[in-house]
Amino acid sequence: MKTMLTHNALRLLLSLMLFGTSLVAQPAAWMEPFPPHKIAGNLYYVGSKDLASYLIATPEGHILINSSFGESVPLIRASIEKLGFKFTDVKILLISHAHSDHCAGSAEVIKQTKAQYFVMEQDADAVESGGAKKSRLADYTQFTPAKADRRLKDGEEVKLGGSTLVANLTPGHTRGCTTWTMKVDGLNAVIIGSPNVNPGYILVGNKDYPAIATDYEHTFRFLKAQPVDLFLGAHGGYYEMNAKHARSIDAGAINPFIDREGYHRYVADREKAFLTELAKQQAK
C-alpha cells in the first residue's frame, strides 16, 4: 500500500509538472481580485492584482483582452459586471500571447459568451493545441485548447462598435506575442504583450526557435518607436498599476495611466535585460 501511494504521488506530481494544472502554486497576485476601473474612455481594467485583462466596451458588444487562467474567469466576469456591463455581451476575445497565464481561460470565456477568438497567427497553433507540447518552462504549460476563429497578421485591425485595435506582432517572448494599440479619447494606448526574457530562455543556438534573438530585437525597435500616452501591459506590474489606480481615485488628479516617461523607462530596462542575457549566452 505504501509503495502504491508513493507511485500514485509521483504520477500526480509528474502530471502537474507536465500539464501545469491550477494546483501548481502561482504568485498570489495573479489570482487576487482587484477593483475594476476605468482607464480612459471606453477602456477598462477587469483583471486581477497582476494578471491584466482589459475590456473595451462598445454599443455593439465588448472586446476582452486576456482570459488569464480558467479559474480567473469568474473574477473577470465579476469585474465586468461590477462596472455595469454584461459578461455575455463580450463578442471578441483577444490575448497578449499564448502562455497559460494569459489564455488558459479562453475556452471557458468562449463557452459562456460565444465570443469570437482572434489570435496572432504565430500563436494560433499553440492555443488550439493547448500550449507548447515541448514544455521547458513553467509558463509553457498546457491548458484547455480553444479554436481561433481568426488568425491575425501583423498590423491587422480588430473593429467593433466604433473602436479599433491594432494587432502588432512583438515576438520573442512567444512567436506570436502581441502588443495591442488603440486610440481612446484621442490618446494613444499601448498594451505591451511582453518584452521579458524568462529564466531558461535560450537566445543563442535555440533549435526550436532559431530566430528568437532577432525577434526580440524587432520587438524593442517597435516598442521604442511607438507614440504612447496610456502605458499598459499584460501584467499590472509592468506599468505599476496598483499605485496608479490608487492615484486615480483622486477625482482632481491627472490621469495617472498617462505615463510616457514610465513607458520608455520600462522598455529601456527590458531591452537592457535582454542584451545582458544575450551577451552572457554568446560568451558561452
Side-chain angles (χ1 to χ4, degrees):
M1 178 63 71
K2 183 176 180 181
T3 301
M4 181 65 71
L5 288 173
T6 301
H7 288 166
N8 287 339
L10 286 173
R11 281 198 294 270
L12 175 59
L13 178 60
L14 180 60
S15 296
L16 294 179
M17 290 173 65
L18 288 175
F19 296 104
T21 70
S22 60
L23 297 178
V24 176
Q26 302 290 359
W30 285 12
M31 303 303 296
E32 184 177 338
F34 194 81
H37 53 273
K38 181 175 181 176
I39 295 166
N42 64 335
L43 174 60
Y44 299 86
Y45 186 89
V46 293
S48 68
K49 192 173 183 180
D50 188 52
L51 283 184
S53 293
Y54 301 94
L55 186 77
I56 296 90
T58 88
E60 297 177 14
H62 313 315
I63 299 171
L64 176 65
I65 302 176
N66 288 336
S67 60
S68 300
F69 292 106
E71 297 83 353
S72 305
V73 176
L75 181 155
I76 294 170
R77 179 169 188 154
S79 292
I80 290 173
E81 292 174 349
K82 284 178 184 177
L83 291 169
F85 302 110
K86 292 182 179 179
F87 185 64
T88 52
D89 284 342
V90 172
K91 303 299 182 186
I92 298 173
L93 174 62
L94 310 173
I95 59 170
S96 58
H97 54 279
H99 280 170
S100 57
D101 51 330
H102 304 288
C103 71
S106 293
E108 184 61 27
V109 170
I110 293 165
K111 178 182 177 181
Q112 294 187 29
T113 66
K114 312 302 181 188
Q116 294 286 293
Y117 195 22
F118 299 171
V119 181
M120 188 68 77
E121 60 180 348
Q122 291 87 343
D123 268 358
D125 286 346
V127 301
E128 290 188 344
S129 66
K133 293 182 179 179
K134 292 183 179 179
S135 178
R136 70 182 190 282
L137 299 169
D139 53 6
Y140 273 102
T141 54
Q142 296 194 304
F143 46 83
T144 304
K147 184 181 183 300
D149 298 291
R150 178 173 159 191
R151 293 184 172 219
L152 300 167
K153 296 184 183 298
D154 183 24
E156 196 166 348
E157 294 181 341
V158 175
K159 296 182 178 182
L160 182 68
S163 290
T164 300
L165 290 96
V166 180
N168 303 281
L169 180 62
T170 48
H173 192 70
T174 67
R175 289 172 174 82
C177 189
T178 307
T179 291
W180 293 97
T181 55
M182 67 179 296
K183 286 276 191 180
V184 184
D185 283 353
L187 299 170
N188 295 301
V190 180
I191 306 173
I192 294 178
S194 180
N196 291 323
V197 178
N198 283 7
Y201 271 30
I202 301 170
L203 301 177
V204 178
N206 188 327
K207 295 180 181 180
D208 294 329
Y209 190 176
I212 185 170
T214 302
D215 279 358
Y216 269 112
E217 290 166 354
H218 162 84
T219 288
F220 286 112
R221 284 196 300 272
F222 172 84
L223 293 176
K224 289 188 291 186
Q226 291 313 292
V228 58
D229 299 301
L230 298 166
F231 168 30
L232 306 167
H235 287 270
Y238 290 4
Y239 63 100
E240 300 178 340
M241 184 266 291
N242 295 352
K244 288 177 178 176
H245 172 258
R247 297 203 302 273
S248 73
I249 296 173
D250 183 353
I254 297 173
N255 187 337
F257 300 109
I258 298 175
D259 186 8
R260 303 172 189 89
E261 291 184 3
Y263 171 88
H264 289 291
R265 185 167 57 248
Y266 174 77
V267 171
D269 176 77
R270 294 297 82 206
E271 183 177 33
K272 180 180 179 181
F274 159 70
L275 292 173
T276 299
E277 181 61 26
L278 179 62
K280 178 181 176 181
Q281 293 188 25
Q282 287 173 333
K284 291 182 179 180

